[in-house]
């Protein structure tokens, strides 16, 4: 089969490798759609993080949907032909957090496309416990748009986990970072009943995409967040902030604009240490909560429920490429001007 692998140097390679076996307790999936993530760009660039985390020869990719084509021994809950999305965090099942039902906090988490072979291939194998089936639809009956959205349930889950970490009904929400996950988080907050939602970024194409989705969006280098608060009639600071960018400046700006008792859910991963005014964190009684991945599987149930009640995240998907055109897809994703970029595996390699 064709697979996109890292060779331990800048640049990925499309190669022929054997089709994977299906161990007991696992399923084999024919990949239909896959999303390109920032993690994949780090591996493609073979930066310091990738060198420390990834073994050369690994098949990359972790956002996908596909059709189950084989089930291993002992798998009774899933069947060939079902359409699914994959939870990319594989947990041990034995540590304290796993045994207590907090699998998203597993101390031995292995990540699809980082520590184990991922989904940028014609077939991928993963534990049956990591399968999320989409009921009532098959690979043959699903629309192209449905498959695109199912292919990004992993980052959609990140957005849901972040946006719903704190109650947002009637609250004023600041979202820093208008990438695909940031925009989906803003959409989730709106769907869940937030009052005012303000999105910040320094990329004008992404700000335009945010505006096209109905959000007040600004570049904080050109307009102060406090000015927008006044325009919206906000007499106090934001109640909830969703930090999705990893930018030190964004985090500092959040601290400056949160109300007393404000809460921040932080998904963006900084590349360098950040100096914060912790005196303000203390005196304003602020809460900062780190977010990593999705709660398994409470987040997935929330995602499905919101999709069933009208939340449509497909507008964040701006570009679609055939798997054979993966290089152009990566270039587009790296440009910073796109929303979510999708690879279509039904067009082959």
């Amino acid at each position: 089969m064709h697979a996109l692998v890292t060779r331990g140097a800048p640049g990925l390679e499309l190669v022929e490798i054997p089709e994977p076996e299906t161990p007991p307790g696992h399923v084999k999936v024919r990949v239909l759609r896959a999303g390109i993530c920032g993690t994949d760009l780090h591996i493609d660039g073979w930066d310091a993080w990738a060198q420390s985390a990834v073994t050369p020869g690994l098949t990359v990719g972790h956002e996908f949907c596909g059709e189950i084509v084989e089930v291993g021994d002992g798998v009774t809950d899933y069947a060939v032909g079902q359409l699914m999305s994959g939870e990319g965090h594989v947990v041990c099942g034995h540590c304290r957090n796993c045994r207590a039902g907090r699998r998203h906090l597993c101390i031995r988490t292995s990540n699809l496309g980082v520590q184990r072979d991922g989904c940028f291939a014609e077939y991928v194998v993963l534990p049956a416990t990591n399968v999320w089936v989409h009921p009532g639809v098959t690979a043959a009956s699903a629309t192209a748009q449905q498959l695109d959205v199912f292919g990004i349930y992993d980052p959609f889950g990140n957005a849901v986990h972040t946006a719903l970490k704190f109650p947002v009904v009637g609250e004023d929400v600041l979202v820093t970072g208008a990438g695909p996950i940031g925009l989906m988080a803003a959409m989730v907050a709106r769907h869940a009943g937030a009052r005012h939602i303000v999105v910040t970024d320094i990329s004008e194409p992404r700000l335009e995409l945010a505006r096209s989705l109905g959000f007040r969006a600004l570049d904080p280098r050109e307009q102060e967040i406090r000015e927008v608060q006044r325009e919206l009639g906000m007499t106090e600071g934001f109640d909830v902030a969703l930090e999705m960018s990893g930018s030190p400046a964004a985090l500092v700006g959040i601290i400056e604009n949160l109300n007393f008792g404000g809460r921040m859910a932080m998904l963006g991963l900084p590349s360098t240490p950040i100096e914060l005014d912790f005196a303000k964190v203390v005196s304003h009684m602020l809460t900062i909560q780190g977010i990593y991945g999705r709660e398994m599987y409470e987040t997935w149930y929330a995602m499905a429920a919101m999709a069933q009640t009208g939340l449509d995240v497909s507008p964040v998907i701006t570009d679609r490429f055939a798997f054979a055109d993966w290089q152009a897809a990566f270039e587009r994703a790296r440009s910073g001007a796109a929303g979510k970029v999708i690879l279509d595996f039904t067009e082959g390699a």
Side-chain angles (χ1 to χ4, degrees), residues 32-36 63 147-149 151-152 317-323 329 340-345:
L32 300 174
R33 296 287 196 279
I36 297 177
E63 305 175 2
L147 292 177
D148 289 345
V149 171
I152 61 167
I317 302 171
T318 59
D319 297 87
R320 299 162 181 82
F321 292 84
F323 182 35
K340 176 57 71 174
V341 178
I342 294 286
L343 291 173
D344 183 350
F345 283 71

Side-chain angles (χ1 to χ4, degrees), residues 36 321 324-333 341:
I36 297 177
F321 292 84
D325 298 326
W326 65 271
Q327 289 173 308
F330 268 71
E331 182 177 347
R332 178 61 173 160
V341 178

Side-chain angles (χ1 to χ4, degrees), residues 151-165:
I152 61 167
Y153 258 47
D154 177 294
F156 179 26
N158 290 342
V160 170
H161 188 187
T162 308
L164 300 185
K165 189 62 183 180

Side-chain angles (χ1 to χ4, degrees), residues 19 43 48 59 73 112 143 202 217 222 225 241 273 298 306 313 330:
E19 192 174 309
I43 299 173
T59 299
D73 291 343
L112 203 69
T143 67
I202 60 173
E222 300 177 357
I225 296 174
E298 189 62 24
M306 284 187 287
V313 297
F330 268 71

